[in-house]
Amino acid sequence: MELNYNVVSIVDILCLMQGVILGIVLLVMNKRKERPTLFLALFLLVNSLELLPVILEDINLIKYYPKLILFPVTLGGFVFPLFYLYVQKISIFSKSKLSYWVLYPAAVFVLIDIISVSYSTATREATWFITLDFVNLFFSIFIGFKTIYFLNKHFNVLVNQYTSTELKDLKWARLLTYIGLSTYFIFFFMLVVEIGFYFHLTYSSFLLALTYWVSFKGIAQLNVENLISEDTRGTLNSIQNTTAFILVESSTEEATSLLKDIEKFVIGKKAFLLPDLTIVDLSNEIGVHPKRISKIINMVCHKNFNSYVNTHRINEAKELLKANHVNNFSIEGIGYQVGFKSKSAFYQAFKKYTNTTPLNYKRDK
């Protein structure tokens, strides 16, 4: 028996092995309540096992053991649904019911695959089966776009509750979803264009690196808590204004008065300097429900809570950058001093509100 090993097949084998190993690691980590990695682990395992038939064919093993073509059944339909469930589980909507229905089409397709190939492997070449395969593929693409929509919804709620969004904004999950969708378009491209050795090698190496990256992000990612869920209402003991729980349209005078109370704390007491300031901290201070505070800031200032606080942080940073007594401070140090938890967060916010970098602003002062 002569097997045909090459660089691409070796990289694919490494990707398969690492995906399985890291998937098992994430399964073990799932026992920690703050890191629900079950669906991410299954995502890695399924995604890795999808390489097995490619490897078997590439190394010429199917030639000697034709029955291996029966395994594994097509698992690709589970990839996006599993990741979508993972995103739901760690998002700010984690208390909501999970959408297990996204797994049903893939499960049906696997069942059909098992029944069909048990009679004849030629079934996979049948027109009806190929059509069904494409239906499964397009459903996965639909779930991919649904994941992006869900992540955007998560972010919009997040920035109305937190000022520090690092490790909470799930930008890496959005990027991974875009990458996943891109692979489907590459798949369609490969159907009509002959792909060379170097393309295969690059693609396989990229998948290997992506496996490590996803695992690292999954290990680092914590649950994102919804600060103004239904349960939060019972914990805000300092809230005395019972009308604050009713989300009604506020008059201009009421909105202006409430905004003054907000600014007394955020600006007057310089609460914006607190790195972990949340809307619940503000709610406890002025005795108004966080949903109403968010509504007023959006309505009067036309900003979400995160942007509102960061605007004051950037204004403070601009003053510090102009002052001579902080000439010995590093740009990073100024960022920490005005409430940002990292250099990257400070640079990103400063560029957003001033269209320049802190260093350039200091030079041009």
Side-chain angles (χ1 to χ4, degrees):
M1 183 173 64
E2 185 178 349
L3 299 181
N4 180 31
Y5 288 103
N6 54 62
V7 176
V8 175
S9 62
I10 292 173
V11 174
D12 283 341
I13 291 170
L14 284 174
C15 190
L16 170 64
M17 293 175 59
Q18 293 308 312
V20 171
I21 293 171
L22 292 170
I24 293 172
V25 170
L26 289 173
L27 280 175
V28 173
M29 286 190 62
N30 184 61
K31 295 180 179 180
R32 302 180 183 180
K33 292 182 179 180
E34 74 278 6
R35 285 185 174 87
T37 55
L38 171 63
F39 293 114
L40 185 64
L42 294 175
F43 164 81
L44 277 176
L45 290 170
V46 167
N47 200 46
S48 300
L49 287 173
E50 275 289 280
L51 289 170
L52 188 53
V54 177
I55 294 170
L56 294 176
E57 185 174 355
D58 200 31
I59 64 176
N60 215 25
L61 194 61
I62 290 179
K63 176 181 178 181
Y64 299 99
Y65 300 99
K67 289 186 178 181
L68 287 176
I69 199 172
L70 299 176
F71 181 82
V73 292
T74 305
L75 299 174
F78 284 110
V79 174
F80 263 124
L82 285 171
F83 190 69
Y84 178 66
L85 289 171
Y86 169 71
V87 166
Q88 281 191 313
K89 190 65 178 175
I90 62 173
S91 74
I92 206 164
F93 307 110
S94 59
K95 300 299 181 182
S96 302
K97 188 177 180 180
L98 294 179
S99 303
Y100 287 108
W101 63 267
V102 298
L103 297 173
Y104 298 162
V108 170
F109 184 78
V110 167
L111 183 61
I112 293 173
D113 193 9
I114 293 173
I115 295 173
S116 300
V117 299
S118 63
Y119 290 100
S120 172
T121 58
T123 304
R124 285 179 173 164
E125 304 298 327
T127 303
W128 69 268
F129 191 89
I130 294 174
T131 302
L132 189 62
D133 198 7
F134 271 97
V135 171
N136 193 37
L137 182 64
F138 283 115
F139 180 77
S140 293
I141 293 174
F142 165 73
I143 297 300
F145 283 110
K146 187 175 177 63
T147 303
I148 292 172
Y149 173 79
F150 184 87
L151 286 167
N152 289 336
K153 184 180 176 183
H154 159 86
F155 184 77
N156 290 336
V157 174
L158 180 76
V159 292
N160 273 305
Q161 299 186 20
Y162 290 89
T163 55
S164 176
T165 60
E166 288 183 287
L167 297 180
K168 300 183 186 75
D169 53 23
L170 302 182
K171 287 183 179 179
W172 71 270
R174 187 185 292 106
L175 176 60
L176 179 62
T177 306
Y178 280 122
I179 292 173
L181 287 171
S182 298
T183 61
Y184 284 120
F185 291 109
I186 292 173
F187 168 76
F188 287 121
F189 178 73
M190 291 172 65
L191 290 177
V192 297
V193 178
E194 185 176 350
I195 302 300
F197 169 80
Y198 290 105
F199 180 90
H200 277 290
L201 179 59
T202 302
Y203 184 69
S204 296
S205 301
F206 174 75
L207 287 180
L208 179 60
L210 194 65
T211 300
Y212 282 106
W213 180 71
V214 172
S215 302
F216 171 77
K217 290 295 184 179
I219 291 170
Q221 182 65 58
L222 298 174
N223 268 8
V224 183
E225 182 185 1
N226 190 343
L227 300 179
I228 53 178
S229 62
E230 292 299 318
D231 294 334
T232 306
R233 294 185 179 186
T235 63
L236 300 176
N237 297 322
S238 62
I239 296 179
Q240 298 175 353
N241 185 1
T242 56
T243 61
F245 292 103
I246 305 173
L247 295 178
V248 296
E249 288 295 328
S250 301
S251 67
T252 304
E253 290 183 1
E254 289 174 326
T256 302
S257 176
L258 181 53
L259 187 62
K260 286 181 179 179
D261 292 336
I262 292 171
E263 291 183 341
K264 282 180 184 178
F265 178 61
V266 175
I267 303 174
K269 295 185 179 181
K270 290 201 170 186
F272 63 84
L273 297 178
L274 299 172
D276 292 309
L277 179 68
T278 68
I279 203 165
V280 173
D281 297 325
L282 179 52
S283 173
N284 285 325
E285 176 68 23
I286 67 176
V288 176
H289 192 269
K291 285 188 177 180
R292 190 157 187 239
I293 294 173
S294 176
K295 182 182 178 72
I296 294 299
I297 292 175
N298 277 266
M299 184 178 70
V300 180
C301 302
H302 305 291
K303 296 176 182 178
N304 57 54
F305 175 68
N306 180 273
S307 295
Y308 171 73
V309 174
N310 280 347
T311 298
H312 297 301
R313 288 175 173 172
I314 297 303
N315 288 337
E316 182 76 5
K318 286 161 69 176
E319 293 301 317
L320 289 176
L321 289 168
K322 292 177 184 177
N324 292 325
H325 69 276
V326 294
N327 282 339
N328 294 328
F329 279 36
S330 66
I331 298 297
E332 185 177 0
I334 291 176
Y336 287 137
Q337 191 162 337
V338 299
F340 290 98
K341 297 184 75 172
S342 71
K343 181 178 179 180
S344 60
F346 176 47
Y347 266 76
Q348 185 177 3
F350 199 93
K351 185 73 180 289
K352 176 182 177 181
Y353 296 110
T354 66
N355 292 320
T356 188
T357 65
L359 187 58
N360 288 337
Y361 183 86
K362 183 173 178 141
R363 288 172 180 169
D364 298 336
K365 67 176 182 175

